[in-house]
Amino acid sequence: MNHIVVLNLWQFGIVYLLLLIVLAVFKRCKINQSKFLLIGSLRMTVQLVLAGLVLTYIFENPHPLFVLLYLAAMIAMSIHTALSRNREINKRFRAIVACSLGFTGFFMILFFVLGVVGVNFWNPQYTIPISGMIMGNAMTGVSLGLKTFQENVKTQKAQIEALMNAGATPKSILLPFVNKGVETALLPTINSMLGMGIISLPGMMTGQILSGTLPTTAILYQIAIMITITTVVCLAVFFSLFFGYRTLYNKKNQISLDLL
Amino acid sequence: MELFSIHNVQFKNIVNVNYNQIKIEECKTTFICGKSGSGKSTLLKLLNASLSADHGEVLFRNKPIMDYDTISLRKEVTLVSQNVFLFDDTIKNNFVRFYDYREEKPPSEVEILEYLKLCMANFSLDTNCKGLSGGERQRVFVSIFLSFKPKVLLLDEPTSALDEATSNALVHNLKEHCMKNGMTLIVISHDKTLAENHSDTIIDLNLEA
């Protein structure tokens, strides 16, 4: 059970033929995204090849500095991506989002690697892939939560104005929007937990089983990572919005949606 | 007594407005007229401190308006905005929800019905606001804010969705109610006849600017 079939490059090449089928469907349905699909597949290939090479090098020459650099790059990229999907928010709000995502992500990585798995933090084989899963999910959650918050606040301008004029505090007016944002960000993660093991064998578990890990061990990892992901999404979104919404009003209780 | 006085106030974020010395008296009905973009709505927002002036001073009872606690001020000086907002819920629950946000107890059903009647909105309390027309929503909206019993009621185009007869009756009722309860009424309207018929004073921003 302990050997894995290494993919032969020529055999591997046939997977790209599948893209032709997708392209044919695009053409038939007049979906104007062929270029996007090609760019996407190309970028994925290049990025993963690079990641493969870099990881191979790091695994052969493990050094704390490499782990730290990889981690820093991952956190920076996740912050950049989450913010670039929500360009309009103000500077202070952006800084709060960056801190919330960075710190909660880093803390949950520490918790998982040191607390749950209990291996040396500088062991790249554990720290790097686990960080990737945690940061990737935290990033998606924060983008979604932020987008929901922003869109709801913008479409409910009349509500915000009416309540402000009625003498409600900015906190009581805006907190329901924060709650909604956190809820929306968490739903996909919770939904995926529901189908897990029956409809889908999740990525991490599949990978471990393919590489020869006992399924009973693989499920423990999977359960642990799912709960960690739920927590990191919850905390990162909550801190982003709970501290971020305060940038939308001043001491005179004037809510300014231009700041969003 | 002078309730508000406005000295050389400028607000240029949205509109370039220059208010020279406007005075608004207590317990009177003041109409504000002026063409679009002359800063009528901005003026009302300066009076309930939901906007701050860039330059100049807005005094409320002879004290700079920004020295007041703005939340208590807005409960005393209440602005009914042009943009009507009601929850997709019954009229009764709309009152309840607005009062929740103010952290106050809602009025009794009898009182609510009185306010609705005063605002020409004779609907039963379990009518869902979702099904009301624009003009009906506007009147329910005004009745909620009137029930807050503010000292000063600021109305931004309260009759924009109403026909002439209803407009006249509504403003007449509101004025009578305010006089009886010692309230100050400040109304923005582009309807000259309405202003002339019901006002004690008219401020024309075209002339003031």
Side-chain angles (χ1 to χ4, degrees):
Chain A
M1 195 149 162
N2 254 332
H3 72 94
I4 183 160
V5 180
V6 177
L7 294 185
N8 170 301
L9 269 189
W10 285 109
Q11 239 178 315
F12 167 75
I14 60 173
V15 83
Y16 281 98
L17 293 178
L18 292 178
L19 286 177
L20 293 177
I21 301 175
V22 181
L23 280 174
V25 174
F26 274 18
K27 197 162 181 201
R28 173 73 184 73
C29 300
K30 297 198 170 118
I31 300 169
N32 223 350
Q33 301 285 2
S34 311
K35 207 173 144 194
F36 192 50
L37 176 74
L38 289 178
I39 292 173
S41 331
L42 198 72
R43 263 189 70 164
M44 173 190 72
T45 308
V46 173
Q47 283 163 205
L48 287 181
V49 167
L50 281 177
L53 292 175
V54 171
L55 287 178
T56 310
Y57 181 81
I58 294 177
F59 287 174
E60 280 165 5
N61 310 279
H63 190 282
L65 190 67
F66 290 149
V67 177
L68 211 58
L69 278 176
Y70 209 101
L71 210 63
M74 231 170 341
I75 292 176
M77 273 309 283
S78 67
I79 291 172
H80 174 78
T81 312
L83 289 176
S84 70
R85 290 178 194 166
N86 294 280
R87 282 182 193 284
E88 287 143 42
I89 58 175
N90 69 67
K91 271 193 183 154
R92 263 172 64 216
F93 205 148
R94 295 170 80 86
I96 289 166
V97 171
C99 290
S100 307
L101 185 53
F103 283 118
T104 47
F106 185 69
F107 181 78
M108 292 314 291
I109 292 166
L110 278 182
F111 175 81
F112 196 91
V113 175
L114 299 178
V116 180
V117 187
V119 291
N120 182 351
F121 186 74
W122 305 117
N123 182 345
Q125 193 198 337
Y126 285 88
T127 302
I128 291 177
I130 284 166
S131 304
M133 293 190 73
I134 290 177
M135 288 318 297
N137 283 283
M139 175 192 85
T140 315
V142 168
S143 312
L144 185 60
L146 215 53
K147 194 153 217 86
T148 310
F149 174 79
Q150 214 188 146
E151 277 169 5
N152 285 344
V153 163
K154 280 195 172 159
T155 52
Q156 298 299 330
K157 269 186 184 169
Q159 175 180 352
I160 291 166
E161 195 185 352
L163 293 173
M164 183 160 74
N165 290 334
T169 58
K171 188 176 162 182
S172 68
I173 298 172
L174 293 171
L175 268 184
F177 292 99
V178 170
N179 300 342
K180 190 77 201 155
V182 177
E183 184 189 332
T184 308
L186 271 173
L187 282 182
T189 315
I190 298 173
N191 268 326
S192 76
M193 286 209 268
L194 291 178
M196 213 158 260
I198 304 173
I199 308 164
S200 64
L201 290 185
M204 183 193 203
M205 193 171 139
T206 311
Q208 284 183 309
I209 292 174
L210 283 177
S211 63
T213 309
L214 283 174
T216 43
T217 308
I219 58 154
L220 292 184
Y221 269 94
Q222 190 58 45
I223 292 168
I225 197 79
M226 278 313 292
I227 294 173
T228 309
I229 284 171
T230 310
T231 315
V232 80
V233 169
C234 178
L235 290 181
V237 179
F238 176 74
F239 288 136
S240 297
L241 295 180
F242 188 75
F243 294 108
Y245 90 92
R246 294 159 201 239
T247 64
L248 301 182
Y249 63 91
N250 60 21
K251 281 188 182 137
K252 294 292 164 198
N253 299 304
Q254 297 166 332
I255 300 178
S256 170
L257 298 185
D258 301 335
L259 293 173
L260 204 65
Chain B
M1 198 193 130
E2 222 167 83
L3 194 64
F4 287 104
S5 62
I6 297 159
H7 305 275
N8 285 315
V9 160
Q10 268 186 309
F11 183 86
K12 52 184 173 220
N13 264 352
I14 303 160
V15 216
N16 195 354
V17 189
N18 196 348
Y19 303 116
N20 291 308
Q21 293 282 3
I22 296 176
K23 289 183 196 304
I24 296 171
E25 280 184 89
E26 193 165 5
C27 297
K28 291 273 163 69
T29 300
T30 305
F31 269 71
I32 299 172
C33 300
K35 45 182 193 236
S36 328
S38 60
K40 303 185 294 287
S41 300
T42 306
L43 178 61
L44 289 198
K45 286 177 186 170
L46 293 172
L47 297 185
N48 86 335
S50 59
L51 286 181
S52 302
D54 295 335
H55 297 287
E57 216 172 21
V58 179
L59 299 178
F60 176 58
R61 298 191 202 282
N62 296 322
K63 197 170 124 183
I65 200 155
M66 285 302 156
D67 290 357
Y68 287 88
D69 168 50
T70 45
I71 297 294
S72 326
L73 179 89
R74 281 174 211 153
K75 289 184 176 176
E76 202 175 328
V77 181
T78 298
L79 167 59
V80 184
S81 139
Q82 219 170 346
N83 307 315
V84 174
F85 167 77
L86 295 171
F87 296 99
D88 288 341
D89 208 334
T90 61
I91 292 185
K92 167 95 197 280
N93 285 341
N94 262 282
F95 274 81
V96 171
R97 289 173 78 171
F98 268 97
Y99 274 84
D100 272 351
Y101 271 101
R102 281 167 65 94
E103 293 166 0
E104 285 170 7
K105 268 208 171 120
S108 69
E109 294 198 354
V110 180
E111 279 179 278
I112 294 179
L113 285 169
E114 264 171 38
Y115 283 111
L116 287 171
K117 198 175 152 202
L118 206 68
C119 294
M120 324 276 303
N122 289 310
F123 306 109
S124 79
L125 291 183
D126 47 12
T127 312
N128 197 311
C129 294
K130 237 166 133 178
L132 298 178
S133 75
E136 290 166 342
R137 290 170 63 86
Q138 194 169 31
R139 280 171 281 159
V140 173
F141 189 57
V142 174
S143 71
I144 294 174
F145 281 73
L146 187 67
S147 78
F148 295 153
K149 296 180 187 141
K151 292 267 188 300
V152 185
L153 188 63
L154 312 171
L155 300 173
D156 192 348
E157 299 278 10
T159 60
S160 59
L162 309 181
D163 61 67
E164 207 185 308
T166 319
S167 299
N168 261 311
L170 174 68
V171 176
H172 175 264
N173 287 357
L174 288 174
K175 185 176 174 183
E176 203 176 62
H177 177 83
C178 289
M179 291 305 105
K180 216 161 54 189
N181 293 283
M183 289 162 61
T184 309
L185 185 61
I186 303 173
V187 187
I188 290 181
S189 180
H190 63 271
D191 185 341
K192 269 267 159 71
T193 359
L194 196 73
E196 277 159 11
N197 287 341
H198 298 283
S199 62
D200 296 318
T201 324
I202 297 181
I203 295 171
D204 189 341
L205 286 184
N206 295 334
L207 304 175
E208 302 284 342

